[in-house]
Amino acid sequence: LEVAKRDRLLPDVYFNHPLVQGERDVPVYPLALYVDGIKFARTDSVLGFFIYNMLTNVRHCVVALRNTELCKCGCRCWCSLYCVLSMLRWSMASMAAGTFPTQRHNGTPFHDEDDATRTSISGKRLGWKAVCLFVKGDWAEYAGTFGFPNWASREHPCMLCHANSRNWFS
Protein backbone atom coordinates (compact mmCIF):
# COMPACT_ATOMS: atom_id res chain seq x y z
CA LEU A 1 0.00 0.00 0.00
CA GLU A 2 2.76 2.45 0.89
CA VAL A 3 4.57 1.80 -2.42
CA ALA A 4 1.33 2.24 -4.38
CA LYS A 5 0.63 5.50 -2.57
CA ARG A 6 4.18 6.81 -2.98
CA ASP A 7 4.32 5.96 -6.69
CA ARG A 8 0.74 7.17 -7.31
CA LEU A 9 -0.31 3.75 -8.66
CA LEU A 10 -3.82 4.13 -7.29
CA PRO A 11 -6.54 6.17 -9.01
CA ASP A 12 -7.03 9.81 -8.01
CA VAL A 13 -10.36 8.96 -6.39
CA TYR A 14 -8.38 7.11 -3.70
CA PHE A 15 -6.22 10.10 -2.83
CA ASN A 16 -9.22 12.48 -2.93
CA HIS A 17 -11.39 10.32 -0.68
CA PRO A 18 -12.11 12.07 2.66
CA LEU A 19 -11.38 8.94 4.69
CA VAL A 20 -7.97 8.55 3.05
CA GLN A 21 -7.15 12.23 3.44
CA GLY A 22 -8.13 12.28 7.11
CA GLU A 23 -6.51 9.04 8.26
CA ARG A 24 -2.96 9.11 9.61
CA ASP A 25 -2.92 6.22 12.10
CA VAL A 26 -3.91 3.11 10.15
CA PRO A 27 -3.66 2.02 6.51
CA VAL A 28 -6.73 2.53 4.29
CA TYR A 29 -7.06 -0.17 1.66
CA PRO A 30 -8.80 0.45 -1.69
CA LEU A 31 -11.62 -1.96 -2.51
CA ALA A 32 -14.07 -2.36 -5.37
CA LEU A 33 -17.40 -4.15 -5.63
CA TYR A 34 -17.93 -6.17 -8.80
CA VAL A 35 -21.32 -7.64 -9.69
CA ASP A 36 -21.97 -9.96 -12.61
CA GLY A 37 -24.13 -12.84 -13.72
CA ILE A 38 -22.43 -16.21 -13.96
CA LYS A 39 -23.95 -18.97 -16.06
CA PHE A 40 -23.43 -22.35 -14.42
CA ALA A 41 -26.05 -24.53 -16.08
CA ARG A 42 -27.88 -24.57 -19.36
CA THR A 43 -30.99 -23.07 -17.79
CA ASP A 44 -29.71 -21.24 -14.70
CA SER A 45 -27.15 -18.73 -13.53
CA VAL A 46 -26.11 -16.95 -10.36
CA LEU A 47 -25.67 -13.30 -9.60
CA GLY A 48 -22.22 -12.98 -8.06
CA PHE A 49 -21.09 -10.17 -5.75
CA PHE A 50 -17.33 -9.91 -5.46
CA ILE A 51 -15.15 -7.62 -3.36
CA TYR A 52 -11.66 -7.17 -4.61
CA ASN A 53 -8.58 -5.51 -3.24
CA MET A 54 -7.39 -2.98 -5.81
CA LEU A 55 -3.77 -3.54 -4.78
CA THR A 56 -3.71 -7.28 -5.42
CA ASN A 57 -6.71 -7.63 -7.78
CA VAL A 58 -7.71 -10.73 -5.82
CA ARG A 59 -11.48 -11.20 -5.98
CA HIS A 60 -13.46 -12.70 -3.14
CA CYS A 61 -16.97 -13.95 -3.86
CA VAL A 62 -19.03 -12.68 -0.94
CA VAL A 63 -22.53 -13.54 -2.23
CA ALA A 64 -23.92 -15.79 -4.93
CA LEU A 65 -27.66 -15.61 -5.61
CA ARG A 66 -29.18 -18.27 -7.83
CA ASN A 67 -31.46 -16.55 -10.34
CA THR A 68 -34.15 -19.23 -10.09
CA GLU A 69 -34.37 -18.59 -6.33
CA LEU A 70 -34.71 -14.79 -6.47
CA CYS A 71 -37.95 -13.18 -5.29
CA LYS A 72 -40.76 -13.38 -7.86
CA CYS A 73 -43.32 -11.09 -6.18
CA GLY A 74 -43.11 -8.45 -8.92
CA CYS A 75 -40.47 -6.33 -7.19
CA ARG A 76 -37.83 -6.99 -9.92
CA CYS A 77 -35.91 -9.07 -7.34
CA TRP A 78 -35.47 -6.14 -4.96
CA CYS A 79 -36.67 -8.21 -1.98
CA SER A 80 -33.69 -10.52 -2.50
CA LEU A 81 -31.21 -7.81 -3.46
CA TYR A 82 -32.07 -5.57 -0.52
CA CYS A 83 -30.74 -8.16 1.93
CA VAL A 84 -27.47 -8.44 0.03
CA LEU A 85 -27.00 -4.70 -0.41
CA SER A 86 -27.84 -4.12 3.26
CA MET A 87 -25.22 -6.65 4.34
CA LEU A 88 -22.63 -5.14 1.99
CA ARG A 89 -23.34 -1.63 3.33
CA TRP A 90 -22.93 -2.93 6.91
CA SER A 91 -19.64 -4.62 6.03
CA MET A 92 -18.28 -1.61 4.16
CA ALA A 93 -19.29 0.75 6.99
CA SER A 94 -17.44 -1.42 9.49
CA MET A 95 -14.32 -1.50 7.33
CA ALA A 96 -14.47 2.26 6.77
CA ALA A 97 -14.79 2.80 10.55
CA GLY A 98 -11.95 0.37 11.18
CA THR A 99 -13.84 -1.48 13.90
CA PHE A 100 -15.65 -4.75 14.32
CA PRO A 101 -19.42 -4.24 14.09
CA THR A 102 -21.34 -3.61 17.30
CA GLN A 103 -24.66 -4.99 16.01
CA ARG A 104 -26.06 -7.13 13.23
CA HIS A 105 -26.60 -5.75 9.74
CA ASN A 106 -30.30 -5.22 10.50
CA GLY A 107 -29.59 -3.14 13.62
CA THR A 108 -30.42 -5.82 16.17
CA PRO A 109 -27.88 -6.61 18.90
CA PHE A 110 -25.66 -9.65 18.87
CA HIS A 111 -26.93 -12.43 21.13
CA ASP A 112 -24.46 -13.64 23.72
CA GLU A 113 -25.26 -17.32 23.37
CA ASP A 114 -25.43 -17.31 19.55
CA ASP A 115 -22.67 -14.80 18.82
CA ALA A 116 -20.16 -15.17 21.65
CA THR A 117 -17.19 -14.46 19.40
CA ARG A 118 -18.81 -11.44 17.74
CA THR A 119 -19.89 -10.05 21.10
CA SER A 120 -16.38 -10.41 22.51
CA ILE A 121 -14.77 -8.42 19.66
CA SER A 122 -17.64 -5.98 19.13
CA GLY A 123 -16.33 -2.42 18.71
CA LYS A 124 -12.65 -3.39 18.83
CA ARG A 125 -10.27 -1.90 16.28
CA LEU A 126 -9.38 -3.84 13.13
CA GLY A 127 -5.99 -2.12 12.79
CA TRP A 128 -6.82 -1.01 9.25
CA LYS A 129 -9.60 0.62 7.27
CA ALA A 130 -10.93 0.15 3.76
CA VAL A 131 -12.95 2.20 1.30
CA CYS A 132 -15.02 1.02 -1.65
CA LEU A 133 -13.91 3.20 -4.54
CA PHE A 134 -15.76 1.60 -7.43
CA VAL A 135 -18.88 -0.42 -8.13
CA LYS A 136 -18.25 -2.36 -11.31
CA GLY A 137 -20.46 -4.43 -13.55
CA ASP A 138 -21.87 -4.49 -17.04
CA TRP A 139 -24.85 -2.44 -18.18
CA ALA A 140 -27.26 -5.27 -17.34
CA GLU A 141 -26.12 -5.19 -13.72
CA TYR A 142 -26.32 -1.40 -13.46
CA ALA A 143 -29.83 -1.38 -14.96
CA GLY A 144 -31.20 -4.58 -13.43
CA THR A 145 -29.41 -5.09 -10.14
CA PHE A 146 -28.87 -1.47 -9.15
CA GLY A 147 -32.02 -0.02 -10.73
CA PHE A 148 -30.45 2.54 -13.06
CA PRO A 149 -32.33 3.28 -16.30
CA ASN A 150 -31.54 1.15 -19.32
CA TRP A 151 -31.29 2.01 -23.02
CA ALA A 152 -35.02 1.43 -23.52
CA SER A 153 -35.89 4.36 -21.25
CA ARG A 154 -37.42 7.26 -23.16
CA GLU A 155 -36.50 9.89 -20.58
CA HIS A 156 -33.04 8.76 -19.39
CA PRO A 157 -31.44 6.08 -21.58
CA CYS A 158 -27.99 7.00 -20.23
CA MET A 159 -27.23 7.02 -16.51
CA LEU A 160 -24.17 9.21 -17.09
CA CYS A 161 -25.76 12.18 -18.84
CA HIS A 162 -29.05 13.99 -19.37
CA ALA A 163 -29.77 12.64 -22.85
CA ASN A 164 -33.25 11.49 -23.71
CA SER A 165 -34.55 9.34 -26.56
CA ARG A 166 -34.82 12.36 -28.88
CA ASN A 167 -31.23 13.61 -28.51
CA TRP A 168 -29.56 10.31 -27.59
CA PHE A 169 -27.35 10.23 -30.71
CA SER A 170 -26.51 13.96 -30.86
Side-chain angles (χ1 to χ4, degrees):
L1 176 62
E2 293 307 316
V3 171
K5 286 167 53 176
R6 183 192 67 222
D7 296 345
R8 302 288 290 190
L9 300 175
L10 296 167
D12 288 339
V13 69
Y14 174 80
F15 297 102
N16 296 331
H17 195 283
L19 182 65
V20 173
Q21 290 179 341
E23 185 56 60
R24 301 284 180 247
D25 299 332
V26 296
V28 180
Y29 294 101
L31 302 178
L33 171 66
Y34 176 70
V35 181
D36 201 2
I38 306 161
K39 191 167 182 83
F40 74 90
R42 188 174 273 172
T43 59
D44 202 3
S45 62
V46 297
L47 180 59
F49 291 79
F50 302 85
I51 298 291
Y52 72 90
N53 181 325
M54 293 178 62
L55 295 171
T56 63
N57 287 321
V58 173
R59 289 185 184 177
H60 302 276
C61 182
V62 293
V63 176
L65 293 175
R66 193 171 180 169
N67 284 349
T68 56
E69 295 178 2
L70 294 175
C71 179
K72 307 276 191 279
C73 75
C75 66
R76 296 181 57 209
C77 303
W78 278 103
C79 292
S80 303
L81 294 173
Y82 178 80
C83 298
V84 172
L85 296 175
S86 176
M87 181 275 300
L88 289 172
R89 184 208 52 82
W90 172 74
S91 298
M92 294 289 183
S94 293
M95 288 188 282
T99 59
F100 286 97
T102 57
Q103 57 190 4
R104 294 174 181 272
H105 71 284
N106 62 4
T108 61
F110 293 128
H111 303 290
D112 289 333
E113 63 277 355
D114 297 334
D115 296 314
T117 302
R118 287 183 176 161
T119 302
S120 69
I121 60 175
S122 174
K124 292 185 179 176
R125 296 183 70 202
L126 293 169
W128 52 270
K129 293 182 179 183
V131 310
C132 183
L133 300 178
F134 298 106
V135 177
K136 296 181 165 193
D138 58 19
W139 194 276
E141 300 319 324
Y142 283 123
T145 304
F146 296 118
F148 287 102
N150 63 22
W151 293 323
S153 169
R154 301 184 92 193
E155 296 302 316
H156 303 287
C158 178
M159 67 179 175
L160 302 175
C161 70
H162 298 290
N164 57 41
S165 60
R166 291 177 300 287
N167 63 10
W168 173 254
F169 295 108
S170 299

